[in-house]
Amino acid sequence: MQGSWLFLKVPQKGADITLASLILVQGNGMAAKVFADGEKIKDLPGSMGLGHLRYPTAGTSSTTEAQPMFVNSPHGLALTHNGNLVNAPELKRFLDQEAHRHINTDSDSEVMLNVFANELNDTGKARVNADDCFAAVSRTYDRCRGAWACIAMIAGFGLIAFRDRHGIRPLLLGSRVVAGQRDWMIASESVALQFFGCHSDDIVDLAPGEGVIISKGSAPDFRQIVPKLECTSKLDIFEHVYLSRPDSTIDGISVYASRRNMGLKLAKRIEEQLGPDAISEIDCVIPIPETANAASRTLAQTLGKELVDGFVKNRYIFRTFIMPNQKLRRAGVRRKLNAIESEFKGRNVLLVDDSIVRSETLKLQLKLKRLADQQIIRGTTSKEIVQMAREAGARKVIFASCSPPITQSELIAHHRSQSEIATEIGADEVIYQTLEDLEAAVSELSSKKRSFEVGVFTGKYTTLLDDGYLEHLDQIRGERKKKLKKKAADSTLNGDDLEKIVDAKLENKASNGHLATAERQQDAVEATTEAGETQDISLHNLNDHDR
């Protein structure tokens, strides 16, 4: 995980605006560690700022790709970006051959920043106004294809935020009043705004294709950048399945309510697939915390089964799917959950998760269940955990997913039937939600007719993909893996050695109690760096000098 804050240092009263400067604080790891529990940013001056937490999508987990990203020209421009550009290779050629702008990373965010910067520079003005900025954003939309929610900061002017024409990624504006002054904030989730004191009545969603400018001392200036007739509402449905917090509201729909509705639909699917006799044999429903909690509650009520909190989640470990490689993901999952033995022993259980993505996650969950007859062994490697899952016996286990199969090439449902998936993960049976029911679970909660971006399940995306785009992403990730393997070999470290480094770091910090667990995944990232994934020494940030 990478965290960054970028602040605009305002010049003294009466000084020329060109004296404004930008201050960057960034680093890899959990936000509390990167920012030293706020100590590194609390005294920074300025009236505007950008913050960002990210995991790598297209690109790497190097600090060089941490956002906000910044370019000096024009005006001093910084940008945060949530999404993907499906025509990134084409845009890179344009930036190189026509705009003469250098791209330093594989990040889509750097591409988006430079395209916007180029369009803003075409105004030819020393100082821009709102019309100039919206016109530059409009031209950026004309060049870029994909999904995005962006916030940019222009030194000496203000903040500008804009959402893609399909509304695939969420973006919201909120306000609060402090000491008689109104503050404005923009975020990708409503809970982030509420945390800082924005009431729900003061929070609005940016519409698809809409932008807003906030300049100091002025009310927000909203503009429909793309005509409404050319826009659609196609929120990525995975925001409701997994990505967003349950207490978030997106485009007027409660994530918590949508997940409860998923549980209701899934219960009916289970009744159809299993029949009354098989359902009568189920002793209890156990959610995989925490995104499946709401759905599991409704599902258990509908089936008339006991809901049991059979897993305890380590709250000091963050989401394992965002870890940079499979070995670390598997190690992270092992430390993420612990089973309450009494809730599993001798019972037929129905496990419920938000989705079934990678097999190693499920193998661990099943291993924990099946080891309820034995003492849970901690500190073993992921390979030993899988072996224990094969050897341990258990009563009947059914695994239910709140979402349909995800069939991308590296994931478990690729070219596998449900029975084959069950065999792969060691379950007796696997049940998936249908895509139709998943969409209905969310759309039924809206007063308007809704459709969603479901390409993750169907392979048919709202934004048409260029030929070779997915291969382009695979190539980027493949080249990065090759570099890491070579550097690891050069430093005489193999995968097992990397795991030993991480475990050694954990043991050294064990005396710090929960802190050791909280820092476990940050140590994994640092160990990866020790194994060869180094930062670009030409790019510096505040944390480079504080280690």
Side-chain angles (χ1 to χ4, degrees):
M1 184 73 80
Q2 296 167 344
S4 302
W5 275 102
L6 188 69
F7 287 88
L8 179 67
K9 182 178 180 181
V10 180
Q12 294 180 356
K13 187 175 181 180
D16 189 89
I17 197 68
T18 57
L19 296 179
S21 60
L22 293 163
I23 303 171
L24 176 65
V25 184
Q26 70 177 191
N28 278 340
M30 299 182 77
K33 184 171 183 179
V34 171
F35 304 124
D37 293 319
E39 290 297 318
K40 288 188 177 181
I41 60 177
K42 70 176 183 179
D43 295 325
L44 291 177
S47 59
M48 292 187 293
L50 287 179
H52 196 269
L53 290 174
R54 75 176 289 271
Y55 60 90
T57 52
T60 74
S61 56
S62 168
T63 315
T64 61
E65 296 190 4
Q67 300 182 49
M69 289 188 166
F70 168 76
V71 290
N72 286 301
S73 176
H75 314 299
L77 177 65
L79 179 137
T80 62
H81 164 253
N82 174 25
N84 285 84
L85 299 177
V86 299
N87 64 332
E90 171 192 330
L91 292 171
K92 287 182 179 180
R93 287 191 294 271
F94 160 75
L95 290 169
D96 177 42
Q97 298 172 14
E98 297 183 40
H100 309 303
R101 286 180 170 268
H102 175 69
I103 300 300
N104 194 52
T105 71
D106 290 319
S107 170
D108 286 359
S109 306
E110 187 183 12
V111 174
M112 173 68 86
L113 168 63
N114 277 274
V115 171
F116 180 43
N118 182 69
E119 299 303 332
L120 198 61
N121 190 59
D122 281 351
T123 63
K125 293 183 177 181
R127 298 288 177 266
V128 292
N129 57 35
D131 291 337
D132 297 325
C133 293
F134 282 124
V137 172
S138 179
R139 294 192 297 272
T140 300
Y141 276 54
D142 291 340
R143 292 195 183 277
C144 297
R145 296 203 320 275
W148 59 78
C150 295
I151 310 172
M153 183 167 68
I154 304 171
F157 178 73
L159 296 173
I160 179 169
F162 44 94
R163 190 178 182 188
D164 69 78
R165 69 181 69 221
H166 301 295
I168 296 173
R169 292 282 166 249
L171 195 61
L172 305 95
L173 172 74
S175 67
R176 67 178 185 181
V177 176
V178 178
Q181 298 291 322
R182 185 166 292 275
D183 296 333
W184 300 94
M185 290 167 273
I186 306 165
S188 59
E189 285 199 58
S190 58
V191 290
L193 301 175
Q194 291 171 328
F195 177 83
F196 286 104
C198 299
H199 300 294
S200 57
D201 292 341
D202 297 320
I203 298 174
V204 296
D205 293 271
L206 268 69
E210 187 177 33
V212 62
I213 285 178
I214 306 172
S215 54
K216 188 176 181 181
S218 301
D221 183 356
F222 290 91
R223 302 279 181 94
Q224 188 64 39
I225 299 167
V226 179
K228 287 187 177 182
L229 291 177
E230 298 178 20
C231 295
T232 61
S233 181
K234 288 274 191 177
L235 178 77
D236 183 356
I237 202 166
F238 223 66
E239 294 283 350
H240 282 274
V241 172
Y242 179 78
L243 295 175
S244 296
R245 277 181 35 157
D247 45 345
S248 291
T249 299
I250 308 173
D251 294 330
I253 300 177
S254 163
V255 175
Y256 178 76
S258 70
R259 290 178 182 170
R260 284 185 58 85
N261 225 13
M262 291 174 203
L264 176 62
K265 304 284 186 185
L266 183 57
K268 294 179 179 179
R269 173 71 174 165
I270 292 171
E271 289 175 334
E272 294 173 0
Q273 185 166 331
L274 295 184
D277 292 340
I279 291 176
S280 66
E281 296 176 356
I282 297 173
D283 294 310
C284 61
V285 174
I286 298 178
I288 309 302
E290 295 176 347
T291 46
N293 288 356
S296 299
R297 187 172 293 109
T298 309
L299 185 150
Q301 292 171 349
T302 304
L303 295 181
K305 299 297 179 180
E306 179 187 11
L307 180 69
V308 172
D309 293 325
F311 292 107
V312 176
K313 180 182 177 182
N314 184 343
R315 296 181 183 275
Y316 300 93
I317 295 289
F318 53 73
R319 289 173 165 179
T320 53
F321 90 98
I322 64 179
M323 298 191 75
N325 61 59
Q326 179 169 310
K327 191 171 188 69
L328 294 180
R329 281 194 296 268
R330 296 175 76 172
V333 169
R334 174 164 52 91
R335 294 167 175 85
K336 183 178 179 179
L337 298 174
N338 193 28
I340 301 176
E341 298 177 21
S342 60
E343 304 305 322
F344 291 98
K345 190 173 183 179
R347 309 179 85 179
N348 297 332
V349 298
L350 171 60
L351 303 182
V352 181
D353 206 353
D354 54 77
S355 57
I356 299 177
V357 182
R358 290 186 173 95
S359 62
E360 67 263 16
T361 302
L362 295 180
K363 285 180 180 178
L364 171 72
Q365 293 160 355
L366 293 167
K367 185 277 305 183
L368 290 174
K369 171 200 66 58
R370 295 185 173 196
L371 290 181
D373 292 336
Q374 306 176 23
Q375 175 67 32
I376 300 298
I377 299 178
R378 297 178 177 84
T380 57
T381 67
S382 56
K383 182 177 179 180
E384 291 170 332
I385 291 175
V386 173
Q387 186 62 35
M388 292 172 70
R390 294 172 180 163
E391 294 174 354
R395 298 282 298 273
K396 190 172 184 179
V397 181
I398 302 169
F399 205 103
S401 167
C402 292
S403 57
I406 303 174
T407 58
Q408 295 178 28
S409 60
E410 66 180 32
L411 304 180
I412 189 173
H414 183 64
H415 293 324
R416 286 191 179 99
S417 65
Q418 285 190 205
S419 61
E420 289 172 334
I421 294 171
T423 300
E424 172 69 18
I425 67 175
D428 293 280
E429 192 149 7
V430 166
I431 302 172
Y432 282 102
Q433 183 96 269
T434 67
L435 181 57
E436 181 182 3
D437 282 346
L438 175 61
E439 291 186 271
V442 184
S443 62
E444 288 174 356
L445 299 171
S446 174
S447 58
K448 303 176 183 178
K449 185 178 180 180
R450 298 274 179 155
S451 57
F452 301 93
E453 164 57 63
V454 294
V456 67
F457 302 112
T458 65
K460 299 177 181 179
Y461 293 89
T462 300
T463 53
L464 297 178
L465 304 184
D466 287 347
D467 291 340
Y469 172 70
L470 296 178
E471 290 77 7
H472 164 71
L473 292 183
D474 288 340
Q475 181 181 2
I476 290 175
R477 292 163 182 159
E479 289 174 353
R480 175 173 173 261
K481 287 180 180 178
K482 288 179 182 178
K483 291 179 181 178
L484 287 178
K485 287 180 179 179
K486 184 179 184 303
K487 290 178 179 179
D490 291 343
S491 60
T492 67
L493 289 177
N494 57 33
D496 292 333
D497 293 327
L498 177 58
E499 183 69 17
K500 290 176 182 177
I501 290 176
V502 175
D503 287 332
K505 283 177 171 284
L506 180 62
E507 290 175 5
N508 290 338
K509 296 181 180 179
S511 59
N512 293 329
H514 288 310
L515 179 61
T517 307
E519 294 181 345
R520 177 60 173 77
Q521 291 183 350
Q522 168 65 7
D523 293 334
V525 174
E526 291 174 357
T528 306
T529 301
E530 290 176 30
E533 185 180 354
T534 58
Q535 298 180 21
D536 184 345
I537 60 173
S538 66
L539 300 176
H540 302 285
N541 65 76
L542 183 62
N543 280 4
D544 288 337
H545 307 287
D546 289 344
R547 292 190 180 277

